[in-house]
Amino acid sequence: MAESFLFSIAESLLSKLASQAYEEASRVLGLYDHLKNLKDTLSLVQAVLLDADQKQEKNHELREWLRQLKRVFFDAENVLDEFECQTLQNQVIKAHGTTKDKVSHFLSTSNPLVFRYKMAQQIKDISMRLDKVAADRHKFGLQPIDVDTRVVHRREMREMTYSHVNDSDVIGREQDKGEIIELLMQQNPNDDHKSLSVIPIVGMGGLGKTTLAKFVFNDKGINKCFPLKMWVCVSDDFDLKQLIIKIINSADDSVFLADAPDRQKNLNKMDLEQLQNQLRNKLADQKFLLVLDDVWNEDRVKWVGLRNLIHVGAAAGSKILVTTRSHSIASMMGTASSHILQGLSLEDSWSLFVRWAFNEGEEENYPQLINIGREIVKKCRGVPLAVRTLGSLLFSKFEANQWEDARDNEIWNLPQKKDDILPALKLSYDLMPSYLRQCFALFSLYPKDYNFTSYGVIHLWGALGFLASPKKNRAQDDIAIQYLWELFSRSLLQDFVSHGTYYTFHIHDLVHDLALFVAKDDCLLVNSHIQSIPENIQHLSFVEKDFHGKSLTTKAVGVRTIIYPGAGAEANFEANKYLRILHLTHSTFETLPPFIGKLKHLRCLNLRKNKKIKRLPDSICKLQNLQFLFLKGCTELETLPKGLRKLISLYHFEITTKQAVLPENEIANLSYLQYLTIAYCDNVESLFSGIEFPVLKLLSVWCCKRLKSLPLDSKHFPALETLHVIKCDKLELFKGHGDQNFNLKLKEVTFVIMPQLEILPHWVQGCANTLLSLHLSYCLNLEVLPDWLPTFICISEHCPKLWSLPDGMHCLTALEHLQIKDCLELCIKYEPQVGECWDQISHIKQITIDEQNISKKR
């Protein structure tokens, strides 16, 4: 299905060939005429690609023609990338090269004369192959279509962006909710074997089992009945130890940010007996509700093992709520009759469709669409995911023919087997713009129920060149966020939550199935059942725990992505010379192989949480295309490689090292660097005194236990928008900051685990006019927030001494989201409807207050 985004690939190639940088470099290297011929042929082919995409489903020969074209396009991308590598290398030699470097460069294959000859041959070969394939386009009767009109109409960015379920967002499930709550409130039977009641919710995929469980989970009556609530997503992997750890983490409010990795590491080291003791301590004497969401395990022995471990600490009246697609699993686990979830009624389906297809009340203006819409809703057969997806697809489309095309699409007539892709989802993909399709397909590289962040998506899409070139005053991140919002607008993302400057989200299992289906020709999830890797594969992901792939055979030579958590010394990537992305998180290398410096196409190298690596080869600094270098958590790394200034494309850099003094001037010379994280640098005492970072947007400082000084001002950090300071106990936030700090233009400020913080630093006030998000967590001695606080998002968690919000809260009409958690005095004072200060915050659009702690207090 990768043929479905060839238009976008052609557009990207043409954009490069038309750029001033390519034109100038091609003239210098004497390749202008060769590249112009390639560009002309490419333009002819691109003109008919959209028509070809629409006709390929019915024409096998046309699909084969597109596959041939795809191979030529991928090779063309690699050749043009060689061209970019050479241009960047020349820039580095000119700016930073020694005489020895320049002589070596002249004698190597990078010599301009040698390179010109080699490139001329490769471009000529690509042009001939493209001419040959392009000549066949006439026999398919393809018509030129210049513009991809499959646009996405976006909803307002503030709509429906939080993961909890509002009652008003759930349609047609009130009766289901009431019946489940009644089951949860019932007394457990006296029989010891069944003293822990298990209530299953069963239904096919897309019916809304998880939504219903959240609907119940967030009910105020349930909050009062169950002092402890836990939510665990089980999914495919029913690993007893990992499930116990998940339950412990869910029960433990103290697991947050900086402490979480260390705590997780400690739990992973425990045996089942130790974990059971931990779990017993968490559950002791507490009546609890545990939700086990999305269960697939049919092994009764595993379930009984888990149930018995949980049962040990269960207080009277405790309940387990299970969601599953399988009736046999429900029968195996349940102690009460299963709640069988049915499809929505036709009227409820219509109400849901209207909510997603129109703005409120707008449907009354388009009576001609109502009957067509009702016919579309019938085809969705009461499946909320299908209804929501089709409604989103038609949002802000008011031409009757657009709705008729969706209603009459032949995809509805295809035979539907049990595990087939929902027609509504496939239709949504088919009507997706080409640039969005290739981005969506990469979700297939991750396991189901993966916790996505916008940061991760940005470096994945960006490193592969999937993001359009930013226009003036827009960054690469802005383009990626726009794409995410377009996917969200099509209901292909869920739990889409804003955290100020980044987002988190999930995708539904059925949407994940769709991503696997459309990406099957190019992406491969490698597990122990895979014997060989096909030749055409572009992107590999090793997701199965403890699988090292030693027995794999491969014909693939054009692999661009390898995601290989836990990789060891047996992993060899030398043959994959066109790699763009190499993810080796939690790897066990003690040193990287020297060939890493030869992967000149590499854009992203992720070595996070390698606890063994001590040195990186200096040859890494030869990777002039490298945009993302992640070393966070490499706690044994003795020193950073020499020559960092040569990484002239570096955009996002995460650093962990034992060095006491970082090579700050080298880092400051990285002219494209916009994101910088300094983490677990235990020997660093001072950072960036007098060093300028003209384009840096985000600075994150984590767990630097000796750090005392971090001077920030607008002269040295003129573009800084986001500041995160986490668990830096000795950092003096109130010293060394001159008046220039009042000119910082921060949009987001986060302080976590900062016991020295009793009031906010005065220099934060200088950002009052730009600040959008203030996040304070585990600042145990923080007592008061200032009156000048005008933020749009304010989150305060685990600050037990914080007793008051600013006096002028009622005047902050722009404030949209306020969250208060584990700040007991605040929770009581601002308790919804009854707190003495509730009227000061009641105007805020979304308020999240931890009412369970109030109940415990009482």
Side-chain angles (χ1 to χ4, degrees), residues 830-844:
Y830 296 92
E831 184 179 0
Q833 315 303 333
V834 298
E836 62 178 282
C837 297
W838 166 247
D839 60 334
Q840 294 183 22
I841 64 171
S842 58
H843 65 282
I844 298 171

Side-chain angles (χ1 to χ4, degrees), residues 315-378:
S318 295
K319 299 287 199 300
I320 297 178
L321 185 63
V322 174
T323 71
T324 181
R325 295 188 198 178
S326 166
H327 287 271
S328 62
I329 291 172
S331 177
M332 175 185 76
M333 296 179 71
T335 61
S337 298
S338 298
H339 182 88
I340 311 299
L341 193 61
Q342 304 293 343
L344 295 177
S345 70
L346 201 54
E347 279 310 303
D348 285 334
S349 295
W350 173 246
S351 297
L352 182 62
F353 179 85
V354 167
R355 176 167 295 186
W356 285 89
F358 299 99
N359 286 316
E360 188 173 354
E362 192 177 48
E363 72 276 11
E364 297 172 5
N365 301 326
Y366 300 96
Q368 75 278 15
L369 301 179
I370 300 300
N371 289 335
I372 306 172
R374 287 189 176 276
E375 291 179 60
I376 291 172
V377 166
K378 282 182 186 177

Side-chain angles (χ1 to χ4, degrees), residues 438-503:
Q438 59 183 353
C439 293
F440 172 78
L442 291 183
F443 290 142
S444 67
L445 293 175
Y446 297 89
K448 287 184 177 180
D449 300 307
Y450 186 78
N451 297 316
F452 288 96
T453 70
S454 56
Y455 287 140
V457 165
I458 286 166
H459 83 247
L460 183 70
W461 293 345
L464 290 169
F466 287 1
L467 300 175
S469 299
K471 296 179 181 178
K472 190 176 181 181
N473 298 326
R474 295 195 78 194
Q476 189 181 59
D477 307 26
D478 299 325
I479 304 297
I481 296 299
Q482 175 192 322
Y483 289 4
L484 284 175
W485 270 103
E486 290 178 8
L487 289 169
F488 173 67
S489 293
R490 287 177 173 260
S491 294
L492 295 174
L493 309 181
Q494 62 185 31
D495 299 339
F496 194 53
V497 184
S498 171
H499 298 273
T501 54
Y502 73 99
Y503 297 85

Side-chain angles (χ1 to χ4, degrees), residues 140-154:
F140 300 113
L142 300 174
Q143 301 301 312
I145 303 175
D146 296 327
V147 180
D148 193 344
T149 57
R150 297 169 294 194
V151 297
V152 181
H153 296 279
R154 290 173 53 198

Side-chain angles (χ1 to χ4, degrees), residues 177 181 185 216-226:
K177 176 186 176 183
I181 288 177
M185 296 296 192
V216 170
F217 191 78
N218 292 320
D219 181 78
K220 289 184 178 181
I222 291 294
N223 288 342
K224 292 177 182 177
C225 183
F226 297 97

